[in-house]
């Protein structure tokens, strides 16, 4: 592995470098922890920094909370509780996770502030890494509701079906519903009701800022002309989409898309193109 190009993990506005180090002892994980997530926890070299982590005094120690969708509770617990015990042992903390089927934050207790921060960092990195392996659940889009465009789409569909009649795999199911035509801005992975509600509120805030910052109150006129396919190999095309152009040659549409994505990324919702 190139130590100058170690993997980078972004968790919200914070960036972590995953530094893999060679073991210097005979300690190893149990067979039950021999998974990618356990390896991440083992090999992650803590760069303890509690900046941005809300750690509060409680009794004779400290505590902190980690927001976590319940789909990841099993990951933090590990097989037979091995992952949770491992983090608790190495950071000298106690971790409380909601019961199966319940929602809520993960709570960390410890007598040492540094240990609480370290446990928080490890859990956050585990969640962030696992989130990247989850399939997309939602997408951000601009609906295409112009009647003229919808009518042209129907004409295009009928022309294709007529000219390709009898061709294998060419039928009505290939085409999107005219009422669902849209311009995709980005995709999101939202794993519980709280994340969906938060993303919905962010969309309203994003639209308000976008109108004033990028569009400056002026409409954005876009032409839909031509076709493009989403694959390097024309013989293995799964998605065919229309091309977008702007008459003045500006990058305003791209600026709108970039602004929307960065807005969500800054709030830790992992928006990607």
């Amino acid at each position: 592995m190139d130590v100058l190009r170690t993997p980078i993990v972004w968790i919200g506005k914070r960036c972590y470098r995953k530094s893999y180090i060679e073991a210097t002892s005979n300690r190893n994980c149990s067979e039950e922890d021999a998974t990618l997530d356990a390896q991440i926890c083992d090999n992650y070299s803590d760069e303890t920094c509690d900046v941005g982590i809300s750690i509060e005094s409680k009794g004779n120690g400290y505590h902190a909370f980690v927001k976590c969708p319940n789909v990841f509770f099993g990951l933090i617990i590990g097989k037979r509780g091995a992952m949770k015990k491992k983090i608790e042992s190495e950071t000298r903390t106690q971790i409380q996770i909601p019961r199966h089927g319940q929602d809520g934050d993960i709570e960390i207790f410890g007598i040492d502030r540094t240990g609480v921060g370290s446990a928080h960092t490890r859990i956050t990195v585990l969640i962030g890494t696992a989130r990247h392996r989850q399939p997309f659940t939602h997408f951000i889009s601009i609906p295409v509701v112009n009647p003229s465009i919808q009518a042209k789409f129907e004409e295009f569909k009928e022309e294709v079906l007529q000219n390709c009649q009898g061709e294998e795999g060419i039928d009505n199911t290939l085409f999107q519903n005219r009422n669902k035509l849209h311009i995709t801005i980005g995709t999101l992975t939202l794993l519980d009701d709280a994340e969906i509600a938060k993303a919905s509120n962010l969309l309203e805030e994003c639209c308000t800022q976008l109108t004033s910052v990028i569009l400056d109150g002026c409409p954005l006129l876009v032409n839909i002309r031509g076709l493009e396919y989403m694959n390097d190999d024309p013989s293995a095309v799964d998605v065919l989409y229309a091309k977008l152009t702007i008459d003045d040659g500006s990058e305003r549409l791209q600026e709108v898309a970039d602004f929307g994505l960065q807005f969500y990324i800054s709030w830790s919702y992992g928006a990607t193109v």
Side-chain angles (χ1 to χ4, degrees), residues 49-61:
C49 176
D50 57 15
V51 175
I53 301 177
S54 178
I55 302 178
E56 300 178 354
S57 299
K58 185 174 183 179
N60 296 324

Side-chain angles (χ1 to χ4, degrees), residues 200-245:
S200 179
N201 292 333
L202 287 177
L203 182 59
E204 294 185 10
E205 183 178 345
C206 176
C207 289
T208 300
Q209 293 190 26
L210 190 150
T211 301
S212 59
V213 176
I214 303 297
L215 299 181
D216 195 24
C218 300
L220 176 62
L221 301 179
V222 179
N223 294 316
I224 301 179
R225 183 184 300 116
L227 295 173
E228 187 60 86
Y229 54 85
M230 194 177 294
N231 198 307
D232 293 333
D233 182 3
S235 65
V237 172
D238 293 321
V239 178
L240 192 69
Y241 59 93
K243 299 174 67 174
L244 305 177
T245 60

Side-chain angles (χ1 to χ4, degrees), residues 65-116:
F65 294 92
V66 181
K67 291 190 176 300
C68 178
N70 59 22
V71 68
F72 294 136
F73 288 167
L75 167 71
I76 307 304
I77 295 172
K79 295 181 179 179
R80 298 183 182 179
M83 179 63 73
K84 175 175 174 289
K85 293 176 182 177
K86 177 181 179 62
I87 298 176
E88 288 177 328
S89 173
E90 295 183 354
T91 61
R92 292 179 295 176
T93 58
Q94 292 182 340
I95 301 171
Q96 290 189 357
I97 301 174
R99 294 180 179 275
H100 178 71
Q102 295 181 345
D103 295 323
D105 297 338
I106 295 174
E107 188 169 7
I108 305 168
F109 299 92
I111 59 173
D112 178 62
R113 182 187 179 92
T114 301
V116 172

Side-chain angles (χ1 to χ4, degrees), residues 20 22 33 76 78 88 93 122-123 133 150 161 200 206 224 229 241 271 273:
Y20 290 86
E22 185 175 349
D33 277 342
I76 307 304
E88 288 177 328
T93 58
R122 292 189 182 203
I123 293 173
R133 300 202 298 269
Q150 292 178 331
L161 292 176
S200 179
C206 176
I224 301 179
Y229 54 85
Y241 59 93
V273 176

Side-chain angles (χ1 to χ4, degrees), residues 157-267:
K157 181 176 74 172
E158 294 302 323
E159 183 177 350
V160 170
L161 292 176
Q162 182 177 354
N163 294 338
C164 299
Q165 189 173 12
E167 295 289 341
E168 183 179 358
I170 305 298
D171 57 41
N172 190 63
T173 61
L174 289 177
F175 297 88
Q176 177 62 279
N177 185 316
R178 61 178 290 171
N179 296 317
K180 294 183 178 180
L181 296 177
H182 60 272
I183 301 172
T184 301
I185 301 300
T187 51
L188 299 171
T189 300
L190 307 175
L191 300 176
D192 59 21
D193 291 340
E195 290 190 350
I196 294 173
K198 179 65 175 178
S200 179
N201 292 333
L202 287 177
L203 182 59
E204 294 185 10
E205 183 178 345
C206 176
C207 289
T208 300
Q209 293 190 26
L210 190 150
T211 301
S212 59
V213 176
I214 303 297
L215 299 181
D216 195 24
C218 300
L220 176 62
L221 301 179
V222 179
N223 294 316
I224 301 179
R225 183 184 300 116
L227 295 173
E228 187 60 86
Y229 54 85
M230 194 177 294
N231 198 307
D232 293 333
D233 182 3
S235 65
V237 172
D238 293 321
V239 178
L240 192 69
Y241 59 93
K243 299 174 67 174
L244 305 177
T245 60
I246 300 180
D247 287 340
D248 62 9
S250 70
E251 297 292 330
R252 295 179 73 203
L253 181 59
Q254 187 62 56
E255 291 173 2
V256 167
D258 292 344
F259 182 89
L261 286 178
Q262 291 301 322
F263 193 87
Y264 273 87
I265 290 173
S266 68
W267 284 92

